[in-house]
């Protein structure tokens, strides 16, 4: 299995809602990432988990809350989002955070719309 | 700090023509360099990577890239473009110390029939 699976593919939520994005990989990768991507822009790093521990938080607002329940799963909990948070949210994994030369495997993303 | 520049925002080529997408990087040590492709509404797919050895690297889908240290460049090439190659292309540099990659702003490739 060489895939990163993200669910749901599309999500529309109100500004008072609570929702979660899910990401799963079974490649034995020990680093997992959340990226946010706006239209016609490169991905922006949000969080990095290494060996199930949060290693990098790129000063992301607290309305985004990541969670890594085990080495295969990564969640992003959303609460009280703003319309400007509408974007494509990408999950990625790599063999090891310290081995940047391996590159990333990306999921196909969750298209989030905040209304 | 590391950075990546993709000078061309948008490139249009005819199907069957050759392609070269430019990428320049700034990094203090030996860089780890990548090219990714993103089709509309999809995630990014790794095309190829360089971190040592032969400076001409082969990737998937018939792409190749050449690392030129003297020019701080890592340009992506394909000898004959197919309509299915139309997509967004991102160059990235990996920083082992920081544990993350920095992406360029991307180049949009349009393929004319």
């Amino acid at each position: 299995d060489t895939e990163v699976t993200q669910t749901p593919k599309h999500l529309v939520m109100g500004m008072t809602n609570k929702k979660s994005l899910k990401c799963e990989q079974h490649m034995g990768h020990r680093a997992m990432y959340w990226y946010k991507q706006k239209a016609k822009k490169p991905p922006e790093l949000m969080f990095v988990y290494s060996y199930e521990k949060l290693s990098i938080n790129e000063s992301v607002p607290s309305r985004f809350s990541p969670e890594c329940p085990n080495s295969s799963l990564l969640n992003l909990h959303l609460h009280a989002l703003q319309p400007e948070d509408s974007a494509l949210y990408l999950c990625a994994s790599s063999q090891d955070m310290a081995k940047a030369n391996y590159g990333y495997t990306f999921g196909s993303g969750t298209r989030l719309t905040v209304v | 700090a590391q950075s990546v520049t993709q000078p061309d925002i948008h490139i249009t080529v005819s199907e069957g023509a050759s392609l070269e997408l430019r990428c320049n990087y700034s990094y203090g040590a030996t860089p780890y360099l990548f090219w990714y492709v993103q089709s509309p509404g999809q995630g990014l797919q790794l095309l190829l990577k360089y971190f040592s050895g032969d400076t001409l690297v082969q990737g998937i889908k018939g792409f190749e890239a050449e690392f030129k240290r003297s020019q701080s460049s890592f340009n992506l090439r394909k000898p004959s473009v197919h309509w299915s190659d139309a997509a967004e292309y991102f160059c990235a540099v990996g920083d082992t110390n920081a544990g993350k990659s920095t992406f360029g702003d991307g180049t949009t490739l349009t393929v004319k029939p």
Side-chain angles (χ1 to χ4, degrees), chain A residues 37-57:
Chain A
Q37 187 180 28
K38 296 285 235 180
K40 301 297 184 184
K41 295 293 185 182
E44 300 174 33
L45 183 64
M46 300 175 72
F47 303 103
V48 182
Y49 273 83
S50 177
Y51 290 83
E52 300 157 52
K53 293 185 179 179
L54 184 63
S55 294
I56 297 177
N57 177 341

Side-chain angles (χ1 to χ4, degrees), chain A residues 10-24:
Chain A
H10 300 275
L11 178 63
V12 179
M13 61 184 290
M15 289 188 284
T16 59
N17 291 160
K18 286 185 180 180
K19 295 287 184 182
S20 296
L21 309 185
K22 296 184 184 300
C23 174
E24 189 169 5

Side-chain angles (χ1 to χ4, degrees), chain A residues 68-94:
Chain A
C68 188
N70 59 56
S71 60
S72 299
L73 293 174
L74 185 66
N75 298 323
L76 186 63
H77 302 298
L78 314 173
H79 173 55
L81 294 193
Q82 303 297 311
E84 58 265 29
D85 296 321
S86 299
L88 181 67
Y89 287 84
L90 294 165
C91 175
S93 69
S94 67

